Amino acid sequence: MFRATLKSLLARKVRLILSGLAVVLGVMFVSGAFVLTDTLGRSFDSVFADGFSEIDVNVAAKPKVQVNEMEGEQTVAPLPAALVDRVKQVPGAASATGVVNADGARVIGSNGKVVTSFGPPQLGENWTGESELLKLREGRAPQAEDEIVINKALATAAKVQVGQKVGVLTAFESKKRDFTLVGVFGYSGDRDSIGGVNEVFFTTPVAQRLMLGEPDVFSSITVQAADGVSDEKLRDDVARTLGADFEVKTGEQVAADASASLKEGLSFFNKILLGFAAVALLVGTFLILNTFSIIVAQRTRELALMRAIGASGRQIIGSVVLEAIAVGLIASVLGLAAGIGVGALLAYLFGKLAGGLTLAGIGVPAAAVIGSFAVGLVITVVAALLPALRASRIPPIAAMQDVATPDRPLTKITVAGSLVTGIGAVLLFLGLSGNAGGQTLSTILGGVLFAFIGVALLTPLISRPVVSLLGAIFSWSVPGKLGRLNSGRNPRRTAITAAALMVGIALVTGVTVILDSAKGSISALAQDTIKAELVIAGQQGGPRPPTFDPGVLDQTKALPGVRLVDGEYGDMARIDGEGTWVAASSDIASLRQIFGAKPTAGDIDRLGPTQMLASSDTATSRGWSVGSTVNVQLTRGEARTYTISGIYESSQLTNPVTLPVTAAKDFAIPQPIQGFIQLDPGTRVSDVQPQVEALLADSPEVSVADRDAFIKQQTSSLDGLLTMIQILLALAIVIAVLGIINTLALSVLERTRELGLLRAIGLRRSQTMGMITVEAVVISVFGALLGVVVGTGLGAAVVEALKDEGITDLILPWGQMGVFLGLAAIIGVVAAVLPAVRAARINVLGAIAHD
């Protein structure tokens, strides 16, 4: 039986290659994700190990406000310079050095634009001298207040040289300041940077003032251990001396913590890639199921003959499953190899995007190997199991009949599909009607999942009438009529083939509906709420939002035709022990006049230095009312008590808490992030905008735009997200195309005699190709049509579930839906090429005699 199975597999190797490709592509995503995250993880380990290699012990203040990566940058409180001498006195400490090291030093290149960083920080530091790790390559150290030194990678990116004047924006001074570049440095190993970080070194007093906002303070203190003293003992002694208000760690601990933080973000990215791998494998399951179903149908007489000569049903199942295991093993090996290549390529591109991250050697973690073979084998065997069971039930008498296995009734699958769809409909009703017991979103998503599965099960029932209707478009010719009949002759096969394409199209359509609705809702809300004709803002390309000089606000107020100017500041704070986003407004009158805020209690038109405003939702959830006192700890400074003087009606554009503008000096970013300009009636935007642009000449990160352009700029990130998702989901569509090719190729083999007879009675080669093409186009468009309908329903349900999150407008992308259907027709034509050519080349006499 084993030899018979092996010969059967080799005889059908071409047929199984296409189904194996689906597994290869899915496994490639799985292994590629693990290889990528493993390579980047080890690379970051190496980067941070190098960066902290010369530090025995590091001392820093505990953050006043803990911030996660989704909320912004973690900012630590500065240390007083006097603490350096105190640390020096700790027994076992050979030396202690005060270090300024803060994100926010942005160099302006020779083209007048800020050198951006997508990921790595842009550090401003104090020069403490050369070391084994850091060496000057050109020039000298900074000595005067207007001198800086930068790393070689930054000098190359900015296209600046020693001796030139260089503009720099800093953490506490967004207005451009010019410095003389007096030196360029690099790192050991001929590296131009560590991890793609841009670094600017100032003299210590300048670094303290510009990067930390006050003199005689440091970000941290680095301590060197005396000979014979271990890092761990020195750490413990320093910690005991300083007390619980400080974080004292060895250099190895600091490196490990920094690397772990980045790895947490990588794990999220890994889950996204694995999610797309799951979609690809789901589509591949349809392809493999269809392939083995057709092969079993074509081998009816062969399998029946085996039963007749004594093979048991268990042996028949084993034969088919063995073929599936062989395909799964080969596909897993190829997928693992392809994944290693893809992971290495993505790691290389990530390193380039991150500014030249030095990659560790490409490694293949155990998870990649285990995951690849587990997924490849399980998916293939599970998909082949149903056809295997069907093969075991073939009666020996079928060996004497010249018929293939007839298509089974659709009763059971229709009942199952109706039941699952009904469950989905009930869950959707409960979620959308608000009767989900506080689990609205999860209930709706569960309903979407059940409805999706139910529609897939009902696809065979739907296929015959829909395919007949779609095929009617081509029925004006004989090939068109034949193609229409062929596509509808086996509803189960047609449905499985179309379902593979449906999954990809449905997901793309659903995501498009959700993101377009989000864009539309945000745009509509902003148009209705923001009563400012001009907005000052920039496009955020890294961890820090673009800022501008607050002096621009006062200068803009003085311009003719300007009625009101508001600068918006923002930060994460700890309010009564809970993390909360807070804002500060330079002109509190803007709450009413620009943002249309409505008071629900107290006075929101004025704000004293110890008063604060809150949104109605925040006040209700926290139990606040006018007169309540609240403890607020900002990123910098000491905790302060504020009294709630007013409460305004909540909306998607109002901040939870508004503090007086004087509080912004203790924000992590003490400059305005956005500015809103309201003009006098009759004043033209074109008259004021150029004047504001001139005032922003020293703040090149931001620009002034009219309200429509600002809204478009703020929602443009959703377009990039949609494009990325569409590219990743394109893999599922590629697999679906392979499924159509495979189905048609196997169908041509199955109908060899029929095609010979058609050719014998006068069907030309071109007509034969046209017939196969019509069949492919009908199946493709059917799958795309189902995908568009299901995806629209899926997206609409999610939009409904997100109403409370601000996505209130359902927008259907009719244009893109039409594009998807048009692409489906093209996909059908492309998928039909190889099977159609093969059908056209069939030898007529040989085909008629084919058994």
Side-chain angles (χ1 to χ4, degrees), residues 459-475 480-491 493-495 498 774-783 785-786:
T459 303
L461 181 68
I462 303 169
S463 68
R464 183 164 285 164
V466 177
V467 164
S468 178
L469 184 63
L470 291 173
I473 300 173
F474 304 97
S475 294
K481 290 177 181 178
L482 291 173
R484 173 190 179 188
L485 294 172
N486 287 334
S487 58
R489 64 162 41 170
N490 192 323
R493 183 183 301 176
T494 299
V774 167
E775 186 176 350
V777 170
V778 168
I779 293 173
S780 295
V781 174
F782 171 53
L785 187 61
L786 272 179

Side-chain angles (χ1 to χ4, degrees), residues 328-346:
L329 279 173
I330 295 171
S332 297
V333 171
L334 295 176
L336 175 60
I340 293 171
V342 169
L345 176 62
L346 290 176

